[in-house]
């Protein structure tokens, strides 16, 4: 093999590049065949010839039709004998119809019309044309895999909702709001009162008993003064620390809600989504 520089091989023969066509290459005459028209069967060919020649399908000129049909059958007989078999059957039917049209019509009763030998062929052609047009309309409808693809997105969903935590800053802000409200109703009365954190823990639990949730501010009685508010707040922190309460909110800067830790998280009233601390 001579050395060839900057040339693309035409093909490979037994693994070796081929840069020129062999002089003794033989190509059979039937190696390449091109079909300009493809028909689904004899009825498809007949319908094509009728539409091409603008024949009236209800009054088919059998002589011209049979002549054109046989010329096509002769073309395919030389290459595909199996394909020509069904076309030959239709050719025999056309010749039979043509011969019946040359014979005198059969006598019929008075008032009745003689049967047209082409009637059965016309009926089959019309039915075939309707089915062909319907299939073309169906083929124009977008199809999955041909005209479009279905988008698939995998979304992981947890069985139990995961809520964002309630930050310390949120509790501080809520506590500051309660202090501001308490100052509005503050009385300058000096008295000594023994307050129990455990007692107020029980009070908070009783308020939440039977409720799905309660707003944070509703647990504080601002009319009883600052000491009670402080003890109530400490009681809330202790209950939350012991895991008896859940302090929740829907999102950042949203109202804070309190519920018993064993209360289901299904709510029929706002907030529609509760965030667990």
């Amino acid at each position: 093999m001579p050395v060839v520089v900057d040339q693309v091989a035409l093909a490979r023969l037994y693994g070796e590049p081929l840069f020129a066509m062999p002089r003794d290459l033989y190509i059979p005459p039937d190696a390449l065949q091109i079909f300009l028209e493809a028909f689904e069967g004899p009825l498809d060919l007949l319908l094509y010839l009728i539409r091409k020649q603008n024949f009236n399908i209800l009054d088919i000129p059998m002589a011209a039709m049979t002549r054109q049909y046989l010329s096509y059958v002769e073309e395919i007989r030389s290459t595909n004998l199996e394909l020509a078999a069904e076309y030959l059957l239709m050719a025999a039917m056309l010749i039979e119809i043509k011969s019946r049209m040359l014979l005198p019509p059969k006598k019929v009763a008075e008032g009745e019309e003689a049967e047209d030998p082409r009637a059965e062929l016309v009926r089959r052609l019309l039915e075939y044309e309707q089915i062909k047009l319907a299939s073309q309309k169906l083929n124009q409808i977008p199809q999955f895999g041909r005209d479009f693809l279905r988008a698939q997105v995998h979304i992981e969903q947890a069985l139990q909702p995961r809520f964002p935590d309630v930050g310390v800053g949120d509790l501080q802000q809520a506590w500051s709001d309660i202090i501001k409200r308490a100052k509005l109703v503050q009385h300058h009365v000096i008295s000594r009162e023994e307050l129990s954190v455990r007692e107020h823990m029980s009070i908070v639990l009783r308020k939440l008993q039977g409720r799905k949730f309660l707003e944070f501010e509703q647990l504080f009685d601002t009319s009883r003064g600052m000491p009670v508010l402080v003890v109530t707040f400490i009681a809330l922190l202790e209950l939350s620390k012991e895991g008896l309460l859940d302090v929740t909110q829907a999102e950042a800067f949203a109202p804070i809600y309190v519920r018993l830790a064993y209360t289901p998280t299904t709510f029929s009233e706002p907030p529609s989504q509760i965030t667990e601390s």
Side-chain angles (χ1 to χ4, degrees):
M1 178 65 65
V3 178
V4 180
V5 182
D6 296 336
Q7 186 175 354
V8 180
L10 299 175
R12 286 185 175 272
L13 181 62
Y14 299 108
E16 297 295 334
L18 191 65
F19 296 97
M21 294 293 293
R23 295 183 179 180
D24 58 345
L25 181 62
Y26 173 73
I27 301 178
D30 57 348
L32 178 64
Q33 294 182 355
I34 300 177
F35 292 90
L36 299 180
E37 296 290 345
F39 302 102
E40 298 294 334
L43 288 177
D44 196 23
L45 174 58
L46 283 177
L47 190 62
Y48 168 77
L49 294 175
I50 291 173
R51 297 309 183 193
K52 182 179 179 181
Q53 300 297 329
N54 292 325
F55 292 151
N56 185 1
I57 196 171
L58 301 178
D59 188 15
I60 303 174
M62 296 306 301
M65 174 65 63
T66 304
R67 190 181 308 108
Q68 294 181 16
Y69 184 86
L70 291 177
S71 63
Y72 178 83
V73 172
E74 288 298 329
E75 291 290 336
I76 63 175
R77 282 183 61 185
S78 59
T79 57
N80 195 333
L81 185 60
E82 295 182 359
L83 181 62
E86 55 178 338
Y87 287 88
L88 289 174
L89 180 61
M90 178 60 69
M93 183 182 299
L94 294 176
I95 294 175
E96 179 189 3
I97 294 174
K98 179 182 176 182
S99 62
R100 288 172 58 188
M101 293 181 64
L102 296 176
L103 297 176
K106 294 182 180 180
K107 294 182 179 180
V108 295
E110 186 177 355
E112 296 182 359
E113 296 182 358
E115 181 181 0
D116 191 341
R118 302 169 296 181
E120 178 64 19
L121 178 62
V122 170
R123 182 188 64 80
R124 293 177 58 185
L125 286 172
L126 291 176
E127 291 180 352
Y128 177 79
E129 187 176 27
Q130 291 179 355
I131 295 175
K132 184 176 181 179
L133 293 176
S135 65
Q136 291 176 355
K137 291 181 179 180
L138 288 175
N139 191 49
Q140 294 175 358
I141 298 176
Q143 298 181 12
F144 172 72
R146 186 193 69 178
D147 302 310
F148 65 93
L149 296 175
R150 184 180 294 111
Q152 297 182 355
V153 180
H154 179 69
I155 302 176
E156 295 184 358
Q157 294 183 351
L159 296 179
Q160 296 182 354
R162 298 180 60 184
F163 304 111
D165 297 335
V166 177
V168 178
D170 297 327
L171 289 176
Q172 291 177 349
Q173 182 64 36
W175 173 247
S176 299
D177 294 340
I178 294 174
I179 296 299
K180 292 178 181 178
R181 293 177 54 191
K183 290 180 179 181
L184 297 177
V185 294
Q186 186 175 7
H187 301 283
H188 297 281
V189 178
I190 300 175
S191 62
R192 182 178 180 182
E193 182 180 3
E194 294 183 358
L195 301 176
S196 172
V197 175
R198 287 293 175 182
E199 180 182 357
H200 282 77
M201 290 171 64
S202 301
I203 294 174
V204 171
L205 291 177
R206 284 197 300 270
K207 287 184 178 181
L208 294 175
Q209 191 70 33
R211 294 174 177 265
K212 294 182 179 179
F213 62 91
L214 192 64
E215 193 170 353
F216 183 77
E217 296 179 356
Q218 295 179 2
L219 294 172
F220 297 89
D221 187 1
T222 57
S223 63
R224 297 187 61 184
M226 183 62 68
V228 176
L229 296 179
V230 173
V231 174
T232 304
F233 184 66
I234 296 175
L236 281 172
L237 295 178
E238 287 293 331
L239 290 172
S240 178
K241 179 180 178 181
E242 294 179 7
L244 299 177
L245 295 183
D246 287 335
V247 183
T248 61
Q249 66 178 165
E251 58 185 358
F253 306 109
I256 297 177
Y257 295 86
V258 181
R259 65 180 176 87
L260 296 176
Y262 52 84
T263 303
T265 58
T266 302
F267 299 94
S268 59
E269 298 179 0
S272 57
Q273 297 179 350
I274 298 300
T275 307
E276 184 174 341
S277 63

